[in-house]
Amino acid sequence: MDMSEQYGESWAMAVARSRGLEIEPAVARHLSDYVGPVLAQFAVIAQELSADDDMYEFRRLLAEESRVG
Amino acid sequence: MAEARIPSVADLALAVRARDLSAEQLTEQFLERSELAQVELNCFIEIDADAALRDARVLDAALARDSDVGVLAGVPFGVKDIFVHHGREPTVGARTVRLATRGQSSPALDRLAAAGAVNLGWLNLDQFSYAATGTNPEFGSVRNPWDPTRMAGGSSSGAAAGVAFGALPFAVGADTGGSVRIPASLCGVVGLKPTFGRVPRRGGAPMSYSQDSLGILGRTVADVALVLAVMAGHDRLDPSSFDVPVPDYSAALAEAAHDLRGLRLGVDDSYIARVGDGEVQEALRRALQVMQEHGADVVSVDLSRLPVYDVIATVITWAEVGALHSQTFPRHRDQYAPATSARLDAALLAHGADHVNALRLQGRALREFCRDVLSDVDVVVSPTTPRAPALLEDVEEDDRRGRVNRSLDSLQLSRPFNLLGLPAMSVPMGFDGSGLPMGLQLVSRPWAESTLLRCGAAYQQLTDWHLRVPPTALAGTPSERGPEAA
């Protein structure tokens, strides 16, 4: 599935509807143009994740850093 | 340009403790300046003169009893309007839509009160803090003190403009993507975003739980250091707060004043050339030259991962801001400003799994940046904002049409450091050809605020950008009269 389908106008309208928002096609197109590329980039970035990465790492690191120096 | 002799925060507190003037007199002086600032720049949502004078009189009574009145005795300040305070609900920049709050008091504001500081009122901001321009269709835009036809930046817009005008010795803001640093840069003042968890956030309306930080704006790094020492420290009731000792930041500055020797500054010229305009790049080059001439080492670092961090930060922000508005926005969409609606339309498209993965990536990003960049330097240096502030009429037109790109442009050098939770500070680094201020951003390791403050204070000893007074503020500054004797 290419990005134009994955994050296209119909995707934006469907997701917005699921959130309780009815948006016009023009708004959906704008959202697709704005949000789509970011989410597509994010999907690539997320491929860097390994099973060892967890969401508490950020705070663990900050705690570790507080003991440095 | 005119220069300021506005007393420092420390000097104002000293004057009150020494009874050169009363807290009430000092409060009256700055209330007068705040009223002027309100007319010129629209800094405030609400000036609460009665409460401020009441608090000042209580302080004076304590002084009369020879009680300890605190290190910020009688010093007036302002607060971004995101805090519940003694039964007053914050507007969070919106008149018609109110988000639920839990009514908790803010330990950060309580610490300032205990130190003797006097809150003059609640400062204007972007609607729900969710932009970086300082425009607000319900309360009116904040105007840039250096050119009132230009935006002040946001979302702590009133805070930056009020300090720059000389109406407030310091102000409290909040920074999720640059909302203290961006307006500080565009208004020519100092703006500090401390390490995530350094200053407790309880009592403040959230924007992004994983990235929010309260921040401080002031005229000088020394002023900001003094206030940080008061506000910082663990809050056992705030899960985002870390139990890390608070250094005596002011003492550390006094020991290392003017001393840049041995400080390693990292800069990525090619990245900044892609992002920033020519004047900002040239100002950065001059700033680095000044610091290098006084002992700092300037080395190249690689900031090419910042756009990756910005994407991760965007996904986290969308998910978390979207969640906060997920009940109110679908039901009350017509009561949201067009620009806020456009942002929330995007935010509500965020997917839960993407949010969790972004939080997993947040830790990876911090580890990577500390390993690959901060292991080799003490401070990463860049411009705070990539270009001069836009004309207000253009930004307000964007807002009416729901266009968000101008705001996003301002964020690209600041927001990645919110993802990373790093301490980051903007200090004035000069003026462009139109007389508009530019900010120098300094970023350091977690908990290394002392390093940032040392670097920034030394730079301010070598330059005079922070002493300049905006044209809107020239008449009748307190410095020109001097603190009036009791």
Side-chain angles (χ1 to χ4, degrees):
Chain A
M1 184 187 296
D2 70 29
M3 199 193 81
S4 63
E5 293 175 40
Q6 186 175 12
Y7 297 116
E9 184 180 321
S10 56
W11 163 81
M13 292 185 78
V15 176
R17 191 173 297 121
S18 74
R19 307 281 195 258
L21 294 168
E22 288 297 332
I23 58 176
E24 294 174 6
V27 173
R29 270 194 303 278
H30 169 71
L31 281 176
S32 170
D33 291 343
Y34 169 35
V35 176
V38 175
L39 292 183
Q41 288 176 59
F42 181 76
V44 171
I45 295 166
Q47 290 170 19
E48 297 175 14
L49 286 167
S50 73
D52 293 330
D53 293 312
D54 72 61
M55 57 187 276
Y56 303 111
E57 177 76 347
F58 174 68
R59 296 188 190 212
R60 266 201 303 272
L61 283 171
L62 288 180
E64 276 178 24
E65 285 283 327
S66 73
R67 296 171 180 81
V68 171
Chain B
M1 284 186 195
E3 292 198 353
R5 290 182 296 109
I6 293 177
S8 69
V9 167
D11 286 345
L12 289 172
L14 190 62
V16 169
R17 284 200 299 273
R19 305 185 203 188
D20 294 339
L21 80 169
S22 67
E24 183 174 357
Q25 287 172 315
L26 190 62
T27 298
E28 282 171 343
Q29 287 182 23
F30 278 95
L31 281 170
E32 186 184 326
R33 289 292 297 165
S34 293
E35 294 290 348
L36 284 173
Q38 183 60 12
V39 169
E40 294 288 335
L41 306 176
N42 198 34
C43 298
F44 285 87
I45 299 284
E46 179 186 348
I47 298 173
D48 195 347
D50 289 345
L53 289 168
R54 188 173 57 240
D55 290 345
R57 290 179 194 123
V58 167
L59 193 86
D60 285 331
L63 263 173
R65 295 191 301 270
D66 290 326
S67 299
D68 180 13
V69 292
V71 68
L72 299 176
V75 179
F77 73 109
V79 184
K80 185 180 188 181
D81 194 13
I82 60 169
F83 291 92
V84 174
H85 189 71
H86 297 318
R88 178 189 180 275
E89 293 283 326
T91 63
V92 201
R95 210 189 283 276
T96 50
V97 177
R98 294 295 185 100
L99 296 179
T101 60
R102 282 176 290 169
Q104 300 180 68
S105 66
S106 162
L109 296 190
D110 288 344
R111 290 170 184 173
L112 289 172
V118 176
N119 183 4
L120 299 190
W122 309 98
L123 292 162
N124 204 349
L125 66 160
D126 294 76
Q127 194 180 54
F128 303 117
S129 305
Y130 198 20
T133 58
T135 51
N136 188 309
E138 293 186 290
F139 290 101
S141 302
V142 177
R143 295 181 281 280
N144 192 302
W146 296 89
D147 179 350
T149 70
R150 303 227 173 223
M151 71 179 194
S155 58
S156 305
S157 43
V163 171
F165 188 84
L168 301 165
F170 73 93
V172 175
D175 190 317
T176 300
S179 289
V180 162
R181 289 161 288 155
I182 291 167
S185 175
L186 300 182
C187 292
V189 297
V190 177
L192 170 68
K193 180 202 83 66
T195 307
F196 182 91
R198 176 79 282 184
V199 175
R201 308 178 318 190
R202 184 162 54 96
M207 204 184 109
S208 170
Y209 293 108
S210 306
Q211 299 172 113
D212 289 344
S213 181
L214 297 193
I216 302 159
L217 300 99
R219 296 195 70 82
T220 68
V221 173
D223 285 351
V224 167
L226 190 56
V227 176
L228 177 64
V230 171
M231 293 178 70
H234 186 228
D235 172 18
R236 65 181 180 83
L237 297 180
D238 180 348
S240 73
S241 173
F242 283 76
D243 190 4
V244 176
V246 181
D248 185 339
Y249 295 115
S250 297
L253 280 188
E255 286 174 18
H258 320 288
D259 192 359
L260 289 165
R261 286 171 300 171
L263 207 62
R264 288 174 64 80
L265 308 179
V267 65
D268 184 340
D269 289 322
S270 61
Y271 179 74
I272 290 160
R274 288 197 301 278
V275 172
D277 74 14
E279 288 190 280
V280 154
Q281 289 176 56
E282 176 57 22
L284 177 67
R285 190 195 63 75
R286 286 196 303 267
L288 288 168
Q289 185 177 6
V290 164
M291 291 191 279
Q292 200 168 21
E293 286 169 355
H294 289 82
D297 294 321
V298 178
V299 302
S300 291
V301 294
D302 180 3
L303 298 183
S304 61
R305 290 282 283 173
L306 291 192
V308 169
Y309 302 155
D310 198 50
V311 169
I312 301 168
T314 300
V315 171
I316 292 175
T317 305
W318 280 345
E320 295 182 354
V321 176
L324 288 171
H325 292 268
S326 58
Q327 282 86 43
T328 52
F329 183 59
R331 290 202 297 268
H332 304 293
R333 187 201 176 97
D334 58 336
Q335 295 176 38
Y336 281 72
T340 315
S341 291
R343 293 183 177 92
L344 288 172
D345 281 337
L348 284 167
L349 299 184
H351 189 284
D354 285 343
H355 179 222
V356 173
N357 281 339
L359 294 177
R360 294 169 67 202
L361 284 164
Q362 189 179 26
R364 272 185 80 96
L366 176 58
R367 186 175 292 284
E368 174 184 271
F369 196 79
C370 287
R371 179 192 67 219
D372 296 344
V373 179
L374 290 173
S375 59
D376 193 38
V377 297
D378 299 300
V379 180
V380 170
V381 179
S382 76
T384 308
T385 42
R387 68 201 85 259
L391 289 167
L392 257 182
E393 63 182 5
D394 292 341
V395 184
E396 289 171 347
E397 179 65 14
D398 280 351
D399 285 353
R400 283 188 290 272
R401 293 182 179 274
R403 293 193 294 239
V404 303
N405 286 346
R406 206 185 299 270
S407 185
L408 293 175
D409 177 67
S410 297
L411 295 168
Q412 56 188 314
L413 289 164
S414 55
R415 184 161 57 179
F417 302 110
N418 292 84
L419 175 81
L420 300 174
L422 297 175
M425 180 170 69
S426 183
V427 297
M429 74 166 173
F431 295 82
D432 70 8
S434 301
L436 297 164
M438 297 176 286
L440 177 72
Q441 178 173 247
L442 309 172
V443 180
S444 194
R445 295 189 78 89
W447 316 111
E449 281 82 359
S450 292
T451 303
L452 283 192
L453 295 166
R454 169 193 166 197
C455 184
Y459 179 69
Q460 289 199 316
Q461 291 287 341
L462 300 169
T463 59
D464 66 357
W465 309 122
H466 58 291
L467 299 178
R468 308 290 176 89
V469 178
T472 54
L474 279 173
T477 56
S479 66
E480 292 174 357
R481 298 195 301 271
E484 290 166 6

